[in-house]
Amino acid sequence: MTSTLQWTLPALMKNQVYDVQVYEGKVYIKTQNALSLIPMKDTEVAHCGKLSPQISGPSTSDGSLTHWAAQILGTPDPSEKVRLTEQVKTWWESGAITDIGEAEPPSQPNRKADLTVRDPGKIKRGKGGTLASRVALLHSLANIEQWAIDLSWDIIARFAKVNLSNGEPLPRGFFNDFVKVAGDEAKHYGLLEKRLTELGSFFGALPVHNGLWQSASDTSHDLLARLAVVHMVHEARGLDVHPQTLARFAAQGDEDSVKILEVLYNDEITHVAAGLRWFTYICLVEEKDCVPTFHELVRLHFKGYLKPPFNTEGRKTAGMGEEWYLPLVKPVR
């Protein structure tokens, strides 16, 4: 719902007219100021030769896709984040939102204050042999999906004003793809949260980590690096671990969880494909060799080697042949 609200201010001050959008009982007032809750880091500057975001100042295109991307990134409650994502996806796909716009995203998405955050290596995920272990696995996946929602909106907001070497902006198809990815990740979180509830738990009952956002922060200055590390390394790793995770739930007869994992897997293949598609597109425009550039960026921004076993079939379905990832495995001596 959209309406207009006029405030009558004291003498010597001008009347101001604001557009107001009401969604899910919450009021969003469009002002002339950016809605970023956390400023960009001063150290995040453009690097020569890299496709860096070009933020020229506070957004004046409120109601644009990037305005809502920043709004969602600043939303701490995951259920509200899911609802907003689904609504903005509908608006974008129906044409209710057409302007990509420009808005400064936060340096890190907001999270609920009652979450217990630990280092990734200290999170116990379990092996699925008991109910508690399966709950821990599902909770870990829900945490990943919440971050995945934010990663999708961040790439939209942070790199919206990138210009390629041919002088052209990113094609509209780029934004179409990552709005869809955001919607998929929101769907995944909703499925996992519902399953946790069915199993007598809830999201936030166990500690979480923010390891994925470290990779986002490390690549905040370079779109190709972001696509390589977040959308082609981390997303593809999700394909690799799927068969083992699925087998653990199937061995315990947890068919409801198995069905959810199958939904996640089929969608994640398309997400890896989207990352690969736009990485390849940009490399072609920039006259870079795709595979060597990928290797260079992963070695620069990803800590360590890629670890087998790989889901060769899943990666192949996404368009990623072995030439992309086998050279990044630790050499055998």
Side-chain angles (χ1 to χ4, degrees):
M1 182 180 77
T2 304
S3 60
T4 301
L5 177 68
Q6 186 174 53
W7 297 79
T8 303
L9 301 177
L12 303 180
M13 297 182 69
K14 296 180 180 179
N15 288 354
Q16 296 292 327
V17 178
Y18 298 95
D19 284 337
V20 176
Q21 290 186 346
V22 180
Y23 173 64
E24 295 287 341
K26 295 183 181 295
V27 178
Y28 297 92
I29 301 176
K30 301 180 184 179
T31 72
Q32 294 178 347
N33 298 318
L35 292 178
S36 174
L37 301 180
I38 307 174
M40 285 282 289
K41 299 176 183 177
D42 292 339
T43 56
E44 292 177 358
V45 298
H47 292 252
C48 182
K50 298 179 180 178
L51 294 173
S52 304
Q54 302 173 14
I55 302 296
S56 60
S59 170
T60 58
S61 54
D62 294 342
S64 66
L65 183 65
T66 51
H67 162 90
W68 283 106
Q71 188 79 7
I72 293 168
L73 287 162
T75 300
D77 181 77
S79 296
E80 177 67 8
K81 190 184 295 287
V82 166
R83 286 192 292 269
L84 279 174
T85 293
E86 291 171 343
Q87 182 61 76
V88 174
K89 178 176 181 287
T90 298
W91 285 337
W92 177 256
E93 292 177 346
S94 67
I97 295 176
T98 59
D99 183 25
I100 294 169
E102 180 179 356
E104 183 177 340
S107 59
Q108 180 165 318
N110 276 359
R111 287 294 181 265
K112 294 181 71 174
D114 58 358
L115 282 179
T116 301
V117 181
R118 294 181 181 170
D119 291 336
K122 295 181 179 180
I123 300 293
K124 296 181 180 180
R125 296 175 179 83
K127 297 184 178 181
T130 65
L131 174 59
S133 182
R134 296 201 306 278
V135 166
L137 281 169
L138 292 171
H139 193 278
S140 178
L141 289 172
N143 180 53
I144 290 171
E145 296 298 339
Q146 184 182 198
W147 283 112
I149 297 170
D150 287 323
L151 289 167
S152 302
W153 289 119
D154 187 79
I155 198 172
I156 287 170
R158 194 170 301 281
F159 297 100
K161 290 303 177 181
V162 160
N163 285 320
L164 305 177
S165 62
N166 62 3
E168 296 294 325
L170 290 168
R172 199 168 189 85
F174 174 90
F175 300 96
N176 292 341
D177 276 356
F178 283 101
V179 168
K180 177 189 178 299
V181 172
D184 287 346
E185 309 294 17
K187 175 182 68 178
H188 299 169
Y189 176 86
L191 290 170
L192 291 163
E193 182 185 44
K194 180 175 181 291
R195 186 60 183 147
L196 284 170
T197 301
E198 292 169 349
L199 294 176
S201 188
F202 60 93
F203 183 71
L206 299 172
V208 299
H209 67 83
N210 60 0
L212 274 177
W213 194 257
Q214 184 59 53
S215 291
S217 180
D218 292 344
T219 58
S220 62
H221 60 284
D222 186 349
L223 176 55
L224 274 178
R226 171 66 65 86
L227 288 167
V229 174
V230 172
H231 298 282
M232 295 170 68
V233 171
H234 286 303
E235 289 265 23
R237 181 60 181 164
L239 303 184
D240 296 337
V241 302
H242 170 77
Q244 186 180 49
T245 304
L246 188 74
R248 289 173 174 173
F249 282 87
Q252 300 301 315
D254 190 345
E255 291 301 321
D256 289 334
S257 295
V258 166
K259 291 176 182 177
I260 292 172
L261 294 176
E262 290 285 22
V263 172
L264 269 61
Y265 176 70
N266 290 327
D267 286 343
E268 298 298 345
I269 287 176
T270 69
H271 300 174
V272 175
L276 179 63
R277 175 164 54 254
W278 291 108
F279 184 90
T280 302
Y281 172 85
I282 293 170
C283 282
L284 291 175
V285 172
E286 300 294 311
E287 298 184 347
K288 296 174 182 281
D289 291 333
C290 299
V291 176
T293 299
F294 175 73
H295 295 163
E296 178 184 352
L297 290 170
V298 172
R299 291 186 177 111
L300 183 62
H301 297 287
F302 183 76
K303 296 178 181 178
Y305 297 95
L306 301 191
K307 297 178 180 180
F310 299 108
N311 184 344
T312 305
E313 188 61 33
R315 285 171 175 259
K316 183 179 179 181
T317 302
M320 183 179 285
E322 292 182 339
E323 71 277 9
W324 287 90
Y325 54 89
L326 288 186
L328 297 171
V329 175
K330 185 175 182 178
V332 178
R333 296 182 179 179

